[in-house]
Amino acid sequence: MNTTEKMKVEIWSDIMCPFCYIGKRKFEKALQQFSDAGAVEVEWHSFQLDPSIEAGHGKNLYEYLSERKGISYEQSVQMHRQVTQMAKEAGLTYNFDNAVVANSFDAHRMIQLAKKHNLGDEAEERLFKAYFTEGKDFSDHETLVLLGQEIGLQENDIRQVLASDDFGYEVEKDIREAQTIGVRGVPFFVFNRKYAVSGAQPSDVFSDVLGKSFTEWRNIHPAPIEVIEGPSCTPEGDCN
């Protein structure tokens, strides 16, 4: 029996998506309260809300969203204020005034590198904070190198990835898979490849789906029996 087998929760996310960071916190709260959290494995998948962003466009976040959604600048500012309040309620600090609109593809490639070293969650967390709280520019490779080193990646490994096309296929594969399973927006949580939660739902929603999916998974993957050894006899007549 495989004692290390775990139920998988997969999360499609873009590190420039404000609701993805909030959703991460709400899911984490549910997972922390789950009695079998040790038997749950979380895997992050790449997703890009806007792959067409080019470096050096010179637009702040409010201008960018105003043009993208066809709304006024003032409406864009107000929308971001509402999201900032939602983030605050989740224990997060968003500084949209300092946010740098940049293409997230290279940051996702670094996340894929981090996943190879079992640092996927650490990469997501650090990049979320870097973008939404610290105003870091993901188009700047030196910034990505420093952020990657902070979570334990080797500088040479990061530079090699950023100077090449490494892990680009993995990012694109995640995005194609998202389209295949019907992901229309992120965050998107898939539990045991059977149940899905779309968006930054309340923690109670995550708790309910987590409990339901885990119960079904456990019925197929029973926990190993812990044996306490004592005096016994075998059918062969050996007693000790």
Side-chain angles (χ1 to χ4, degrees):
M1 182 179 294
N2 184 1
T3 60
T4 62
E5 193 168 11
K6 297 182 178 183
M7 188 192 81
K8 183 175 289 188
V9 177
E10 299 166 273
I11 309 172
W12 272 263
S13 165
D14 190 349
I15 60 273
M16 292 173 61
C17 160
F19 293 111
C20 290
Y21 200 8
I22 296 171
K24 183 176 188 292
R25 279 293 181 273
K26 291 181 179 294
F27 169 73
E28 287 171 341
K29 181 179 179 181
L31 188 59
Q32 288 168 0
Q33 297 173 345
F34 187 56
S35 59
D36 288 299
V40 176
E41 175 188 356
V42 177
E43 180 179 0
W44 291 89
H45 291 291
S46 297
F47 190 93
Q48 280 197 288
L49 291 170
D50 186 0
S52 67
I53 297 176
E54 297 181 0
H57 51 74
K59 300 171 186 173
N60 65 35
L61 186 59
Y62 306 125
E63 292 172 323
Y64 166 76
L65 190 67
S66 172
E67 294 182 9
R68 184 167 172 79
K69 294 183 68 69
I71 60 178
S72 70
Y73 187 90
E74 291 72 22
Q75 286 175 308
S76 178
V77 171
Q78 183 58 36
M79 286 178 62
H80 283 91
R81 285 177 179 168
Q82 293 172 352
V83 176
T84 298
Q85 182 58 37
M86 291 179 62
K88 184 177 180 181
E89 292 171 359
L92 301 170
T93 301
Y94 280 10
N95 295 315
F96 286 123
D97 288 350
N98 300 325
V100 179
V101 181
N103 196 298
S104 62
F105 190 76
D106 284 343
H108 278 295
R109 292 199 295 127
M110 191 178 79
I111 292 173
Q112 296 288 342
L113 169 65
K115 286 173 61 176
K116 295 295 184 182
H117 296 276
N118 296 316
L119 293 170
D121 193 76
E122 290 81 356
E124 291 281 342
E125 179 66 30
R126 187 63 190 95
L127 289 171
F128 274 135
K129 184 177 180 181
Y131 182 75
F132 290 107
T133 304
E134 301 170 350
K136 301 294 185 181
D137 183 359
F138 289 162
S139 68
D140 178 34
H141 284 184
E142 291 303 316
T143 295
L144 292 178
V145 169
L146 291 174
L147 293 172
Q149 286 181 279
E150 286 184 27
I151 65 169
L153 294 176
Q154 295 298 310
E155 178 181 355
N156 289 341
D157 292 343
I158 305 169
R159 292 191 183 280
Q160 180 179 335
V161 168
L162 296 177
S164 67
D165 296 326
D166 290 356
F167 294 104
Y169 172 80
E170 285 80 358
V171 174
E172 293 170 350
K173 180 181 177 182
D174 278 354
I175 295 172
R176 288 195 301 270
E177 187 174 10
Q179 296 169 346
T180 299
I181 65 176
V183 178
R184 296 292 178 265
V186 287
F188 195 85
F189 302 76
V190 177
F191 296 74
N192 195 31
R193 283 286 162 148
K194 186 171 182 180
Y195 301 103
V197 173
S198 179
Q201 299 281 358
S203 294
D204 288 348
V205 173
F206 288 116
S207 294
D208 290 344
V209 180
L210 187 59
K212 181 179 181 179
S213 57
F214 187 84
T215 297
E216 294 182 7
W217 178 86
R218 179 57 85 198
N219 288 335
I220 302 174
H221 305 82
I225 299 173
E226 182 177 348
V227 179
I228 300 175
E229 299 289 353
S232 62
C233 293
T234 69
E236 293 76 24
D238 296 324
C239 296
N240 54 56

